[in-house]
Amino acid sequence: MERRVAVIGAGTMGSGIAHVAALHGYQVYLLDEQPGVVTRARQRIAQRLQRDVEKGRLTAAESEQVMDRLVEAEWNQLADADLVIEAVLEVMNVKKAVFESLDRTVKPEAILATNTSSLSITELAAVTQRPQKVVGLHFFNPAPVMKLVEIVRGEETSEETVSAVKAFAESLQKEAVIVQKDTPGFIVNRVLMPLFIEAMRIYEEGIASKEDIDKAIQLGLNHPMGPLALADLTGLDVDLHVMDYLFQEFHDDRFAAPQVLRRLVRAGKLGRKTGKGFYEYSES
Ligand code: 3HC
């Protein structure tokens, strides 16, 4: 794998992926269609790096080099990227439009990866002329911290593509698992969404307070955070999209989104992104 990586979408996941790639020596092009988003992402990354400097994990010079490697780019600069990671909104048509444009812009030998957390890789690959070079590369939030990457094969993803992104993930000091079949939710979200749903139903049914539900799972199962706090962290709008997609694909009540989640999302309470979700956050 060459050293030029482009990340499309500078939200929580895109900026986290860009951060970790730049930290591990890649030249990173970061793009977002919304003005100002890349600038804010770079500011957040600079603050994280500053913390690393204060803690003695990086020198000030290294932190500067990381920021120098991470540049805001325009579409036409993507032509020479070796790997593109799409991290835009979790909506199939939005992602398809991005993949169509990428396929026209980026050199034919480049790999086009998606950070989708549940959608079909095969369906996305079908809008390109290079389905063998399209693959799922699913990072977890917060991307600089979480060790796992799910690598998801589409129907036509080549062995060479899987090996290349596995080597890439390992170069970021991540552990990769290979999802051999392109199925909705892959491994983690297929397990996580029913956990979220059950915790939300327990809350809706008035069985316990949200704090006690989270405390029970945290201390009873040794999870770093409870499911309601984690649902806020991942973004309630994202969680709802994922549940609705899994429900539509599997026709199974295991994935039926609770009303409380729909109400919060409709009210614009999207978790940490807005400072409000199941919990209130003083900083978003
Ligand atoms: N970016 C970079 N670093 C971050 C960070 C971020 N957004 N958030 C936290 N960190 C770092 C902190 O700097 C700190 O590092 P340091 O102590 O070495 O400086 C370290 O992580 C621990 O952070 P905190 O001390 O602030 O807090 P905690 O110890 O409580 O850890 C947590 C926070 C890492 C978020 C931890 O609670 C955790 O692991 N939670 C579970 C997260 C999880 O399950 N994520 C997966 C979600 S599912 C998903 O993403 C799939 C999607 O498709 C829905």
Side-chain angles (χ1 to χ4, degrees), residues 35-279:
V37 172
V38 172
T39 306
R40 285 198 293 281
R42 288 186 88 259
Q43 284 163 352
R44 278 199 309 275
I45 295 166
Q47 283 165 4
R48 289 277 171 199
L49 294 173
Q50 179 55 31
R51 203 180 140 100
D52 288 339
V53 172
E54 283 158 18
K55 291 209 159 190
R57 289 188 289 242
L58 278 184
T59 65
E62 284 166 340
S63 151
E64 256 178 54
Q65 286 159 10
V66 174
M67 289 310 293
D68 288 346
R69 285 197 289 270
L70 202 167
V71 297
E72 175 161 17
E74 306 283 337
W75 267 97
N76 56 16
Q77 287 173 273
L78 294 183
D80 70 345
D82 304 296
L83 168 66
V84 182
I85 305 171
E86 165 278 312
V88 304
L89 208 60
E90 190 67 5
V91 175
M92 182 55 94
N93 283 343
V94 175
K95 288 189 187 287
K96 277 185 177 170
V98 169
F99 269 71
E100 271 168 0
S101 305
L102 284 174
D103 195 39
R104 283 195 301 270
T105 311
V106 185
K107 62 186 178 189
E109 61 273 30
I111 292 175
L112 305 183
T114 170
N115 182 56
T116 179
S117 53
S118 57
L119 303 176
S120 168
I121 310 306
T122 310
E123 194 175 338
L124 268 179
V127 304
T128 74
Q129 304 301 312
R130 60 180 104 181
Q132 73 287 353
K133 293 203 160 281
V134 175
V135 65
L137 194 57
H138 183 208
F139 289 78
F140 292 82
N141 186 14
V145 178
M146 301 298 289
K147 295 305 287 178
L148 182 69
V149 176
E150 285 179 324
I151 294 175
V152 189
R153 272 182 209 281
E155 283 301 311
E156 295 191 49
T157 309
S158 70
E159 206 50 56
E160 197 188 348
T161 300
V162 170
S163 303
V165 292
K166 185 163 185 281
F168 171 70
E170 286 167 355
S171 74
L172 306 182
Q173 292 177 358
K174 302 291 183 198
E175 294 274 341
V177 292
I178 314 286
V179 181
Q180 303 287 4
K181 289 186 186 171
D182 182 19
T183 50
F186 318 132
I187 301 170
V188 173
N189 276 335
R190 187 157 160 189
V191 173
L192 182 63
M193 292 303 139
L195 174 73
F196 281 179
I197 289 168
E198 216 45 53
M200 290 172 195
R201 286 181 183 153
I202 291 171
Y203 174 63
E204 261 181 343
E205 290 167 20
I207 291 166
S209 68
K210 59 191 177 205
E211 291 83 3
D212 276 356
I213 296 166
D214 275 354
K215 190 173 172 180
I217 301 302
Q218 238 182 311
L219 303 184
L221 296 177
N222 231 359
H223 287 198
M225 56 203 296
L228 299 176
L230 184 57
D232 277 353
L233 177 73
T234 49
L236 297 183
D237 51 342
V238 175
D239 302 332
L240 183 59
H241 273 305
V242 175
M243 288 173 200
D244 283 348
Y245 181 70
L246 292 175
F247 184 76
Q248 175 198 316
E249 292 286 315
F250 287 111
H251 305 289
D252 189 324
D253 280 351
R254 271 182 300 167
F255 302 112
Q259 280 300 311
V260 63
L261 177 62
R262 260 183 227 290
R263 277 201 304 275
L264 285 169
V265 172
R266 283 181 186 145
K269 296 177 181 172
L270 310 180
R272 281 209 180 153
K273 286 181 195 166
T274 53
K276 279 186 184 169
F278 283 97
Y279 296 91

Side-chain angles (χ1 to χ4, degrees), residues 13-32:
M13 293 310 296
S15 64
I17 296 166
H19 173 169
V20 74
L23 189 64
H24 287 88
Y26 291 90
Q27 168 75 45
V28 179
Y29 300 144
L30 186 55
L31 284 83
D32 198 292

